[in-house]
Amino acid sequence: GVWSEQAGGGGAMAESSAEAYYEPVKGDEDDDDEYVLPDDAGFTDYLLYPLRSGENFFARFTKNFGWRFAIQITVMYLLVKGLMMSVLGLVKLSYCKKTLKIDGSACQTMMVISSTPWAIKGAIGVLADAYPLFGYHKSSYILVSAVIGSIGLFGLATFPVTSAAFAAILLFSVNLEIATSDLLCEGKYAELMQSKPKTGSTMVSYVWGCFQIGSLIAAMFVGPVADHYDPKVLFWILLPLAVSIIVPTSLGYLADERVSPEKEGIDMELIKTYPYIVLFCVIMAVVAVGNAAIDIFFFEEHFWQMVYAISCSVLLSILAFLWLPRQLAMCNFYMFMASVLYLNISGAQDFWFTADEQCVPGGPAFDYTYYNTYTSIVGAFTGWVGVLIFQNFMSGWTFRTLFWVTTILQCIASAS
């Protein structure tokens, strides 16, 4: 949020190109009337309500933000973050068991290493804002990360990977693409939401709607493929998805205008204006990469992994309250504690639920079709219900109320 406010990687500099892409038709500004049923609605009106309201929603979205940006966001959140990231999350179990032949503990350690890019998004944002790579604050970083992620997926699909640590490094590169593209697209759409406040939650609902569709599509085929084939084949399916973000970004659909020659190079003014925020983001990135290194070199030494994680968590929490604006530090600490106190034993739990009769006598012995596909389809549909509830009933709530309600629901779900 802080960095998207600082032009989010060239937001202010993109105003001239953004006007052609994003401004609504003249004389029809901010006309965001939602579709409502007619007073004398009949059976057909109720039957077609989802279709008509969906068409109305998409028409309002493209009118306010432009069809080019709609394509950019759709590719990012339907194909890359929705479909590709969901497949990665679902295939991890079968990949660990069938391909790498490692236990649940090693699988969970591998996934911690591979998810490190999500912990360094702050540093990525600082870098993108402070240094326009090849003259662009956002587009170039998305393109470079897409190349890195595509190479990682090619390696996962073709190399005879037997080491969990090596697999984690390749998966790290894929997550680097998703995390970087997600962050920089977030920065742009947050900037546009600020410029068009009357659009309300339209952008957020569209983004999460695309994500839920991608998750649903992923759920439908990952389980059956993992049951009948080597899970590595799924990495071939993901490769064109990793490349897909290159197309709209190269065509300029993100509207990230090239900076003027005098503004190329490191933006020292930005760093001098926010020195502690920059330093905090850099330290957090170093700590996250250090955590990945500890996990790689002490792969089986869980005690030292725990010591490092706790020590760094305490350090970062203290620095947040010393260096960040208090409101930001409090939000940071709340989300950190919400994650820490939500116990996650999915690695061991996944292995137990899918273990065969020989390993767990009398156990459930679920196949991947049931465990990955059926349960994820239910999750995708309930996610869609959540999007609809948010758009229709909760979009006007305060953040504090939203946090309270969702945290309580999460506690109830985990305790059941």
Side-chain angles (χ1 to χ4, degrees), residues 137-374:
H137 281 285
K138 285 186 172 70
S139 301
S140 296
Y141 288 98
I142 292 176
L143 294 174
V144 169
S145 68
V147 171
I148 294 172
S150 300
I151 293 172
L153 279 170
F154 182 79
L156 287 164
T158 58
F159 296 162
V161 179
T162 57
S163 165
F166 183 49
I169 293 172
L170 293 175
L171 288 168
F172 176 100
S173 68
V174 182
N175 276 298
L176 180 64
E177 174 188 355
I178 302 172
T180 301
S181 302
D182 178 41
L183 171 72
L184 299 179
C185 286
E186 278 178 343
K188 176 56 72 175
Y189 77 65
E191 173 190 332
L192 297 178
M193 287 171 66
Q194 287 182 340
S195 67
K196 296 182 178 296
K198 290 186 179 180
T199 59
S201 60
T202 303
M203 178 67 76
V204 176
S205 296
Y206 186 78
V207 165
W208 283 101
C210 287
F211 176 79
Q212 294 300 337
I213 293 174
S215 299
L216 178 60
I217 296 172
M220 289 179 174
F221 67 85
V222 171
V225 170
D227 272 328
H228 298 96
Y229 305 98
D230 186 336
K232 284 180 62 175
V233 73
L234 289 165
F235 296 128
W236 283 113
I237 297 174
L238 296 185
L239 188 54
L241 300 180
V243 175
S244 66
I245 193 68
I246 294 176
V247 177
T249 306
S250 300
L251 292 173
Y253 287 5
L254 193 63
D256 182 29
E257 189 177 345
R258 185 182 181 90
V259 303
S260 56
E262 63 270 15
K263 291 187 177 180
E264 292 185 358
I266 300 175
D267 186 353
M268 294 304 300
E269 187 63 32
L270 179 66
I271 296 175
K272 291 177 181 178
T273 304
Y274 301 99
Y276 290 116
I277 294 180
V278 171
L279 186 58
F280 181 81
C281 291
V282 171
I283 292 175
M284 185 161 62
V286 171
V287 164
V289 173
N291 184 69
I294 291 289
D295 287 347
I296 291 174
F297 294 110
F298 298 91
F299 201 83
E300 300 292 338
E301 302 293 332
H302 302 304
F303 174 77
W304 294 113
Q305 294 173 5
M306 180 185 69
V307 169
Y308 180 86
I310 293 175
S311 302
C312 292
S313 297
V314 172
L315 172 65
L316 289 173
S317 297
I318 293 173
L319 292 179
F321 281 96
L322 291 176
W323 291 350
L324 301 182
R326 183 168 180 80
Q327 186 178 29
L328 183 59
M330 294 289 285
C331 291
N332 232 12
F333 189 69
Y334 165 79
M335 287 183 280
F336 168 72
M337 291 303 297
S339 298
V340 169
L341 296 176
Y342 186 74
L343 299 180
N344 183 0
I345 57 171
S346 60
Q349 189 179 44
D350 291 344
F351 273 66
W352 187 86
F353 276 121
T354 56
D356 57 23
E357 180 68 22
Q358 183 179 358
C359 180
V360 182
F366 295 136
D367 59 13
Y368 299 118
T369 300
Y370 177 84
Y371 196 69
N372 284 152
T373 295
Y374 295 161

Side-chain angles (χ1 to χ4, degrees), residues 16-39:
S16 59
S17 65
E19 185 173 353
Y21 282 15
Y22 305 126
E23 289 301 312
V25 179
K26 188 174 182 181
D28 196 27
E29 288 85 355
D30 293 320
D31 181 14
D32 288 316
D33 292 336
E34 297 184 9
Y35 175 77
V36 293
L37 288 167
D39 294 334

